[in-house]
Amino acid sequence: MNKQPDLPSKVKIVEVGPRDGLQNEAQLVSADVKVELVDRLSKAGFPNLEVAAFVSPRWVPQMATSAEVMERIARRPGAIYSALTPNMQGFEGALAARADEVVVFGSASEAFSQKNINCSIAESIARFEPVAKAAREHGIRLRGSISCAFGCPYQGEVSLDAVADVVGRMRDLGCDEIDIADTIGVSTPRKTQAVMLRAAAEFKLDQIAGHFHDTYGQALANIYASLEVGVSIFHSSVSGLSGCPYAKGATGNVATEDVLYLMHGLGIETGIDLALVADAGLFISQQLGRKGVSRAGNAIAAKRVG
Ligand code: HMG
Ligand code: MG
């Protein structure tokens, strides 16, 4: 099928399952399983994989194996392996682990900032400044992630001005890419477009990413709406794995298999092999002892059996 003239011809899909997906799993997943998951995803062709978080293991126990996972994965040449770094202690961990990209994660909501990283938005930016400087000095890419850009589990509404303000601060830190996150999956398409367009007034549109959780089943619609306004980077989790420990009730990211099915159906290039991603989804679902939530992944699996 030919691509629609009004949509990007190519998108970058960032696989965040090994970090955002697994971080909220109640059962501790072994480093062996994480490494195999990342290796399967690397082989599927993702240009960027978020695989680690150098955060306090008391806050997020599941990420305590980050250094080991980063050490043992088989890196695909050219692919970017990202790690979350809330402060300089996290940066040192990511540097030692040879992360290609570090992610400073803030919020457009004051309440969520306190719950997630134990400081105000302004304090978080001050903590990110030395991280940004160190990343620059070491030639490591810097990404800024903005949680609760569409709504907050603690304060409810989040204004467009609040989003624009944090996008501007992340831009001034020197971020290469900024992701606008619907942490609790509450947005709907028109709102999504309004937020993305406002973010684009502050930062390069082609370096803005959409990070959608699927709590209310709107993630694919929000991704399509983002495509319509020119966003061309999206985050997703294989098999629609889990969510954020500090956003109660929020489900996982949009499932990668579903996003790939959508993109390929629209004639939009991703460079990623959907069949291999579906295999990786089955692998991690079996390891977790439950069926994955990707509709496309489950359909592909059913077809294989049938
Ligand atoms: P704090 O307690 O304010 O930090 O936590 P602190 O500087 O006072 O240090 C307290 C203790 O933490 C010390 O240890 C430090 O060494 C240790 P102690 O002396 O008590 O034994 N510590 C660290 N340990 C390991 N790595 C570090 C680190 N920093 C301090 N980097 C802190 C502040 C940011 C550390 C904490 O709040 C934290 O780790 N939060 C993590 C929250 C998190 O990972 N949330 C999930 C990721 S965000 C997300 O999922 C959203 C996203 O997907 C987008 C979206 O959907 O919205 C990205
Ligand atoms: Mg997230």
Side-chain angles (χ1 to χ4, degrees), residues 66-84:
S66 286
E68 184 183 351
V69 171
M70 288 290 281
E71 173 67 31
R72 291 177 48 201
I73 52 174
R75 301 183 192 208
R76 197 170 59 78
I80 295 167
Y81 293 85
S82 309
L84 265 58

Side-chain angles (χ1 to χ4, degrees), residues 20 211 213 253:
D20 202 357
H211 177 113
H213 285 255
N253 301 93

